[in-house]
Amino acid sequence: MREERTDMTEPHETDQKKPLGLSRPGRLELRKTVETGQVRQSFPHCRSKAVTVEVKRKRTFTQDAGGLLHEVKAPVPDLAAAHAEAAAEEAGHAARTLTEEERAARVRALKSAVQADFEARRRHESEESHRIEEEARQQVEEDIRHKAEEEARREAEAEARRKSEEAALTALIQPRRETTEEAREAPRQARGAEAAEPEARGVPHLKAVPRPAAAAAALAPEEEEEAERATKRAAGKARPALAPKRLEPRRRTGKLTITQALDDSEEERVRSLASVRRAREREKQRARQALMEAGQKIVREVVVPEAITVQDLANRMAERGADVIKTLMKLGVMATINQAIDADTAELVVAEFGHKVKRVSEADVEIGLEGLEDAPENLVPRPPVVTVMGHVDHGKTSLLDALRATDVAAHEAGGITQHIGAYQVVLSTGQRITFLDTPGHEAFTAMRARGAKVTDIVVLVVAADDGVQPQTVEAINHAKAANVPIVVAINKIDKPDANPDRVRNDLLQYGVVLEQFGGDVLAIEVSATKHTNLEKLEEAILLQAEILDLKVNPARLAQGTVIEAKLERGRGPVATVLVQRGTLKVGDIFIAGSEWGHVRALLDDRGLPIESAGPAAPVEVLGLNGTPLAGDAFSVVETESRAREVTEFRQRKLRDVRVSRGARGTVEQMFSKIAAGEAKELPIVVKADVQGSAEAIVNAIQRLATDEVSVRVLHAGVGGINESDIALAAATQALIVGFNVRANPQARELARRDGLEIRYYSIIYDVVDDVKKMLSGLLSPRVEEKLLGHAEVREVFAISKVGKVAGCMVTDGLVRRSARARLLRDHVVVHDGKLGSLRRFKEEVREVKEGYECGMSFENFQDVQQGDVIECYEVEEVAREL
C-alpha cells in the first residue's frame, strides 16, 4: 500500500481551491509502510531457517465538518496519564487535560520503547540462532572426529592383521624356499666341477651361462618337482656341511612404489601367495586321491543333538546335502535341505555314511549348575529354616510378630496372610533362626507346599479354642511329604474356651504323636498376644536343629530357592530368595528359573541394603531381566554366556509346554465352541502384585470349573495393568482382575473406550466368590414344571374352518390359555403342545377355574376323543448355582 504525504482537499461551498503543498516543510517523498526484519526459526535435529517478518502499517482518514481529511491515529495507552487521573480522582480533583505537545511527547516515548523492545527481541533471537548453529557445527565436527578415529582404528587393525597373515605365510613357504635353493645350488656345483676338469686338462671350454634369477623364481611346477628330486639325490650322495646361502631376497612386503619397481637391486622375483596356495591345494588333492585309490574313508565323529537340520548334518559329516537327502528318501523320510529332523533319524543317516555318532541333549547345558559336593572339613553350622504353617486365623503371623517384635498382621488385607514372608530372628544368645510365614487360606496350597520343600523344621500352629482344621491337616501332610520334623505350637491358650488337651488328642488321629504320648514331636503351649512361652518355643526349635546337625559350605557359589517374586515400579523385577548354600554377593551373575541377571542390590528382611548374604539368609535381589516364578531354583554362575545359554534352553521348554497345552492360538477355537454350545468359558486376565498371589488366584478359580462351564485364564502375571492387558481382554471380551495392583492412566482410558470391566481386589476369597457368581450366570437354567390343573373332555364338536373343539369340564385347578397342555388317553401322553383357543360361551377367555365348562382346541392337532384328559402346566426356568 502506498502512502502520499500530501493533504487532499475538497472544494468548499464557495468553490475556492487551495494550492497543492506539503503538510510540513521538507522534500516530497513516499515513506515505507512495511517494516521488515529477519528472525532465526529453530527446528528439530539442529536445523534452523531465516524467516522474514513484515509489519504493515495502515493509515485511515476521516472527513471533518469543514470537508478536510485528517488521519485517524490508533489510541495509544498512556499508563502514566491513567495513574495520574486515578490519583486525581481519589483526591477529588478533576483530571487535567493533556496538551498536544505532552501527548506527542508521550507517543514518541512509547514508540521508542516499542522499537527498543523489538530490537532487543531481534537481538535475542539472533543470538539464539547463532548459538544453535554453533552447537550444530560442534556436533558435526565431533561426529567427523569420531568417524576419523574409527577409520584410523580399523586401518590399524587391518594392517596388523595383514602383517600377521604375511608372517604366517612366510613361515609356511620358508622351508620350500630353502629346499628350492639347495636344488638350484646342486646343479651349479656340478657344472662348476665339470668346467674345472677340462681346465685342469688344459682344454678350453665355454662358461655356463647363468640362469636369470627371475627365471629361476618362476619355475614351472614340473621343474620345481624335478628340483626337489635332484635335491633329494644330492642329499643322499653327500650332505653339505653348511646350509647354502640364500641367494634370492625375501618376498616383498607392503605396497609397491615406483622407486621399488625401478630399482635394479632386486635381481630376482619370489613366488606369489597365489602360487603357494595352488601348490598346497594340489598336494591336498593328490593326498585325497591317494586315499580314495587305496579305498580308505575318513571316519568322523558327528555330534547329533535332539533336533538338527539336514544342511547342518551334511556339514558335520562333510558330505553333500543332496546325498543326505537321497539317504533320507531311502529311509522313507521326505525332507528339504532346511528342514529339521529328530536325533534318531539323524543317527540312522550318520550310520549309513559310515561315521561315528555322538548323541547329546539340550538339557546338558544344565549339567554342573549344582556344583560338586562339599568336603566335610569345609562345612560350618548354619541357622535353621523354620516354616510356620497352620489353619487360617490360628495366629501364625501374630506368633511370628511376637518373635520379631513387629506388627505385620495389622497390615495384611482382611487380617490374613496372602504372601510368603521371610524373616530372620536374632536371639539373645546370638543364634539366628530364619522363619517363613505361609498363608493358611485353602487357595494357597502351592505356597504351603513350597514352604515345606525348602524348610528344615515345620512349626505347626493350632489354636487351642478351634482345634485341628482342614488346613491344619493339609500342613501335616505337606510336612510328612517333605520328611521334615514338626514342632507343634498350641496358640491362644489365654482364651477362656481354650482346650489344649483336645488339640493333643485330635493330632493323634493324623499321625502326630506328641512326647506326652510316647512320640517324638514337641508341643509348646504359647500365646502370641501375651508373649507366653516364646522362649520355650525358640529352645525347642534350636534343640531340633541341633539334632539335625545343619552344616553348609559358605565359601562357594550361592544356590537357593525363589520364595516370592514381584514387579515394582522404579526397581523392576524383585525376587525374595532364600540362600541355601554358599554366599550371595553384589555383582554376582545368577540364574533364577528362566531369567538371569546381575545382583545390583541386596536387601535384608527389614529393607536395609547389605553387601552379601550367607546360608539360610532371606534377601531381596534386584537386577533380574524378568520376573521368575515362585519356587524356581536360584544359582550363581561364572559367566554371562553360561547364564544366557541355560535361560534360553529353559525358555524354549516353557514355550513348548504352553504350545502343547494350547495356551496360545486357541481364542478362535474358544469362541467357536461357545457359539456351537459345546462349552461355556469365562475368559479372565489376572494381574497381581507378586507371583505367588497370581498362582494362588489361578489355581483357586480353575477349581471352580465344571463339565458345563469353565474358566480360561488368558494371561496371569505380576505388575500393574497396562495397555497390552487391555488389548488382550478387548480381543476376547475377558474380565480383568487386579489383585493389589491398579491400571495405569492409558490402560484405564482404553478400558473405558472399549467398555471393558476392571475389578480390583485385595482379598483372595473375594475374587473366588465373584468368579463363582459369574460362572453360575453362564450355567443353563434349570427347567421346572408347574402343574395348573386337569380338564375332562365331555364332548367333541367339529366346526368348519376351525376343526375339532373339545367341550371340557375343569375337574381340578385351572386351565390357562397361555400355558402348555398334554392330552392323556388311558394315562398315556398322546400330544404335548399349546392350546389354540380357550372359550366359554363363544367368548375367548384367559383362564377357566375348577367346576366350570369350557371349549378348548390344540394347535396343529385334531385327534381329540371323548373321555380324554387334558393336563395344563407351565414351564419355569430356575437359575442354577455352582
Side-chain angles (χ1 to χ4, degrees):
M1 177 179 176
R2 304 180 60 185
E3 297 182 2
E4 295 182 0
R5 289 296 183 181
T6 58
D7 294 335
M8 302 176 61
T9 60
E10 296 290 337
H12 293 280
E13 295 177 359
T14 57
D15 294 333
Q16 295 180 356
K17 295 183 179 179
K18 290 185 179 181
L20 184 62
L22 298 174
S23 60
R24 61 182 67 179
R27 60 181 180 177
L28 182 63
E29 63 180 356
L30 293 177
R31 291 189 176 181
K32 293 182 179 180
T33 61
V34 179
E35 294 183 359
T36 61
Q38 285 190 346
V39 297
R40 180 66 63 176
Q41 188 174 5
S42 301
F43 295 93
H45 305 294
C46 301
R47 294 186 294 110
S48 61
K49 178 181 177 182
V51 181
T52 303
V53 180
E54 296 183 354
V55 181
K56 293 186 178 181
R57 294 183 299 174
K58 184 177 180 182
R59 301 177 65 187
T60 306
F61 294 87
T62 184
Q63 190 174 6
D64 59 0
L68 297 177
L69 294 177
H70 296 282
E71 181 181 358
V72 178
K73 298 183 179 180
V76 179
D78 193 346
L79 299 179
H83 286 300
E85 290 176 2
E89 288 177 0
E90 290 178 0
H93 300 287
R96 182 176 64 84
T97 305
L98 298 177
T99 62
E100 291 295 331
E101 292 79 5
E102 292 175 345
R103 187 178 299 277
R106 292 183 179 182
V107 169
R108 288 193 299 274
L110 182 60
K111 286 184 178 181
S112 61
V114 171
Q115 184 67 22
D117 182 53
F118 179 72
E119 292 294 334
R121 227 173 16 251
R122 285 183 55 189
R123 193 181 309 109
H124 176 69
E125 291 173 354
S126 176
E127 293 176 356
E128 186 68 19
S129 64
H130 287 315
R131 184 183 63 80
I132 294 174
E133 290 177 357
E134 182 65 21
E135 291 180 356
R137 185 183 60 78
Q138 292 178 359
Q139 183 66 27
V140 171
E141 291 178 355
E142 186 71 17
D143 293 343
I144 293 173
R145 184 173 61 81
H146 283 312
K147 193 171 182 180
E149 292 177 356
E150 184 67 19
E151 290 293 335
R153 185 182 63 78
R154 290 179 181 174
E155 290 179 0
E157 290 179 355
E159 183 67 21
R161 196 182 304 112
R162 184 181 61 79
K163 289 182 179 180
S164 63
E165 290 177 356
E166 289 179 357
L169 289 173
T170 303
L172 286 174
I173 66 175
Q174 185 66 26
R176 295 187 55 83
R177 286 182 176 173
E178 294 177 356
T179 305
T180 306
E181 287 298 326
E182 292 176 0
R184 291 172 183 169
E185 191 65 23
R188 290 175 185 171
Q189 293 176 0
R191 286 194 298 272
E194 292 175 359
E197 186 177 354
E199 260 186 28
R201 296 195 302 263
V203 181
H205 68 281
L206 295 177
K207 292 184 179 181
V209 180
R211 178 179 291 183
L219 291 174
E222 293 79 4
E223 295 179 356
E224 291 181 6
E225 294 175 3
E226 181 63 29
E228 290 178 4
R229 287 195 292 269
T231 304
K232 292 179 181 179
R233 288 196 300 269
K237 292 180 180 179
R239 190 176 191 87
L242 297 176
K245 184 179 180 182
R246 182 184 181 88
L247 299 178
E248 62 179 21
R250 293 186 178 275
R251 182 180 177 275
R252 182 182 64 249
T253 59
K255 296 181 179 179
L256 178 65
T257 63
I258 298 177
T259 305
Q260 294 174 352
L262 298 179
D263 192 3
D264 295 335
S265 60
E266 296 185 3
E267 299 178 356
E268 298 181 355
R269 291 180 57 191
V270 297
R271 294 178 63 187
S272 64
L273 294 178
S275 175
V276 174
R277 293 194 188 99
R278 286 194 298 270
R280 198 180 306 148
E281 188 64 29
R282 283 193 298 271
E283 291 177 2
K284 290 182 180 179
Q285 188 67 25
R286 283 195 296 269
R288 195 178 300 115
Q289 189 68 24
L291 286 175
M292 291 180 64
E293 291 175 357
Q296 298 179 2
K297 180 178 179 62
I298 301 175
V299 179
R300 294 179 174 85
E301 186 180 39
V302 182
V303 177
V304 178
E306 295 178 355
I308 186 173
T309 62
V310 176
Q311 181 67 60
D312 192 9
L313 181 61
N315 294 338
R316 295 187 183 190
M317 295 189 300
E319 304 287 348
R320 295 174 60 245
D323 296 339
V324 177
I325 293 177
K326 291 178 183 177
T327 307
L328 286 171
M329 293 175 67
K330 292 178 182 178
L331 296 174
V333 178
M334 307 299 294
T336 60
I337 193 69
N338 295 321
Q339 188 172 344
I341 57 178
D342 56 14
D344 296 335
T345 306
E347 185 176 357
L348 293 176
V349 173
V350 173
E352 286 288 332
F353 281 94
H355 298 290
K356 294 181 180 179
V357 180
K358 182 180 179 182
R359 293 283 294 268
V360 296
S361 174
E362 284 186 331
D364 293 344
V365 298
E366 295 186 336
I367 296 176
L369 279 181
E370 297 182 358
L372 302 176
E373 291 294 332
D374 297 318
E377 59 271 12
N378 297 329
L379 301 179
V380 296
R382 68 167 175 84
V385 179
V386 180
T387 300
V388 182
M389 304 176 71
H391 192 71
V392 62
D393 199 25
H394 274 203
K396 299 180 296 298
T397 306
S398 300
L399 180 62
L400 189 57
D401 292 343
L403 294 171
R404 297 180 65 232
T406 58
D407 187 11
V408 178
H411 301 89
E412 294 286 355
I416 64 171
T417 300
Q418 303 181 112
H419 308 143
I420 285 186
Y423 316 100
Q424 195 168 61
V425 176
V426 181
L427 306 181
S428 58
T429 58
Q431 294 176 297
R432 296 174 180 268
I433 302 176
T434 300
F435 286 97
L436 300 181
D437 185 15
T438 61
H441 194 271
E442 61 178 354
F444 295 98
T445 302
M447 282 192 182
R448 287 190 293 275
R450 190 160 53 245
K453 181 180 177 182
V454 300
T455 191
D456 300 319
I457 303 170
V458 168
V459 173
L460 184 63
V461 179
V462 185
D465 59 340
D466 201 9
V468 177
Q469 296 296 323
Q471 271 64 59
T472 310
V473 179
E474 183 183 313
I476 294 172
N477 295 332
H478 286 318
K480 289 183 177 180
N483 196 17
V484 177
I486 299 175
V487 175
V488 178
I490 303 175
N491 195 17
K492 301 183 180 181
I493 60 172
D494 55 321
K495 286 196 171 184
D497 53 347
N499 190 357
D501 294 334
R502 181 169 67 93
V503 173
R504 295 186 181 94
N505 294 328
D506 292 343
L507 290 174
L508 290 174
Q509 303 176 10
Y510 303 101
V512 180
V513 183
L514 304 182
E515 283 186 339
Q516 300 175 358
F517 303 110
D520 57 352
V521 178
L522 299 176
I524 311 297
E525 297 181 4
V526 297
S527 173
T529 56
K530 303 295 183 180
H531 291 201
T532 305
N533 295 336
L534 297 183
E535 296 81 4
K536 292 184 179 180
L537 180 61
E538 293 174 352
E539 291 176 1
I541 293 173
L542 293 177
L543 177 60
Q544 192 69 49
E546 186 177 353
I547 296 173
L548 294 175
D549 191 20
L550 304 173
K551 291 185 178 180
V552 75
N553 180 16
R556 58 171 297 164
L557 296 179
Q559 292 180 357
T561 303
V562 178
I563 301 298
E564 195 57 273
K566 57 185 175 180
L567 184 66
E568 290 189 5
R569 185 174 183 179
R571 297 205 301 173
V574 179
T576 302
V577 177
L578 177 65
V579 182
Q580 294 174 306
R581 295 200 298 176
T583 302
L584 182 62
K585 308 180 188 66
V586 175
D588 286 345
I589 303 169
F590 66 94
I591 301 171
S594 59
E595 306 294 340
W596 72 280
H598 292 264
V599 179
R600 290 195 289 109
L602 293 174
L603 305 176
D604 61 4
D605 56 338
R606 301 181 185 274
L608 302 177
I610 57 177
E611 292 297 325
S612 62
V619 289
E620 283 191 348
V621 181
L622 280 68
L624 282 160
N625 292 341
T627 307
L629 299 177
D632 285 342
F634 179 91
S635 302
V636 174
V637 294
E638 297 83 0
T639 59
E640 287 187 9
S641 59
R642 180 72 189 282
R644 288 194 183 95
E645 190 178 13
V646 174
T647 53
E648 287 174 0
F649 164 69
R650 292 179 177 177
Q651 288 171 1
R652 284 196 301 271
K653 285 179 58 179
L654 289 176
R655 196 159 46 242
D656 294 342
V657 170
R658 293 194 190 101
V659 171
S660 63
R661 291 179 180 175
R664 293 186 178 183
T666 58
V667 177
E668 293 82 3
Q669 299 176 8
M670 177 185 73
F671 283 129
S672 62
K673 288 182 179 180
I674 293 175
E678 298 177 6
K680 293 183 179 180
E681 294 181 321
L682 176 64
I684 293 180
V685 176
V686 178
K687 294 301 285 294
D689 53 345
V690 295
Q691 189 69 41
S693 297
E695 178 187 11
I697 291 172
V698 171
N699 293 335
I701 62 179
Q702 284 182 345
R703 284 200 298 267
L704 299 175
T706 62
D707 296 337
E708 189 174 350
V709 293
S710 62
V711 178
R712 177 179 289 270
V713 180
L714 301 176
H715 174 65
V718 297
I721 302 171
N722 50 32
E723 297 89 330
S724 62
D725 301 327
I726 300 298
L728 177 61
T732 57
Q733 294 299 314
L735 171 69
I736 304 174
V737 173
F739 189 77
N740 289 333
V741 295
R742 291 294 183 271
N744 58 32
Q746 295 82 3
R748 288 199 299 269
E749 184 63 29
L750 288 176
R752 189 181 302 109
R753 184 195 67 185
D754 297 337
L756 296 176
E757 183 179 9
I758 303 177
R759 295 197 176 188
Y760 301 112
Y761 300 92
S762 59
I763 302 174
I764 190 170
Y765 47 75
D766 291 343
V767 182
V768 177
D769 293 343
D770 286 357
V771 173
K772 187 175 181 180
K773 293 178 182 177
M774 294 178 190
L775 291 177
S776 300
L778 293 178
L779 290 173
S780 300
R782 184 174 62 254
V783 178
E784 294 183 356
E785 291 186 4
K786 182 180 179 182
L787 185 62
L788 298 179
H790 294 83
E792 183 181 354
V793 179
R794 299 287 178 89
E795 192 69 37
V796 178
F797 304 96
I799 301 175
S800 60
K801 297 183 181 180
V802 176
K804 290 185 178 181
V805 177
C808 306
M809 170 67 73
V810 180
T811 57
D812 62 87
L814 56 89
V815 177
R816 190 170 294 159
R817 186 181 59 185
S818 59
R820 298 182 64 87
R822 294 191 187 96
L823 183 63
L824 305 179
R825 185 174 298 163
D826 296 333
H827 305 288
V828 178
V829 178
V830 178
H831 176 70
D832 189 351
K834 289 186 177 180
L835 291 176
S837 65
L838 178 63
R839 293 177 178 270
R840 178 170 171 77
F841 300 113
K842 298 183 180 182
E843 293 182 359
E844 193 76 25
V845 293
R846 181 176 297 177
E847 63 181 26
V848 178
K849 296 184 178 180
E850 179 182 355
Y852 290 94
E853 295 181 346
C854 61
M856 288 185 287
S857 64
F858 290 90
E859 292 182 355
N860 304 322
F861 184 76
Q862 301 294 327
D863 186 18
V864 182
Q865 299 179 10
Q866 185 177 0
D868 293 344
V869 177
I870 299 175
E871 184 181 71
C872 187
Y873 67 94
E874 287 183 344
V875 177
E876 292 183 352
E877 294 184 349
V878 181
R880 295 164 56 192
E881 295 183 359
L882 289 176

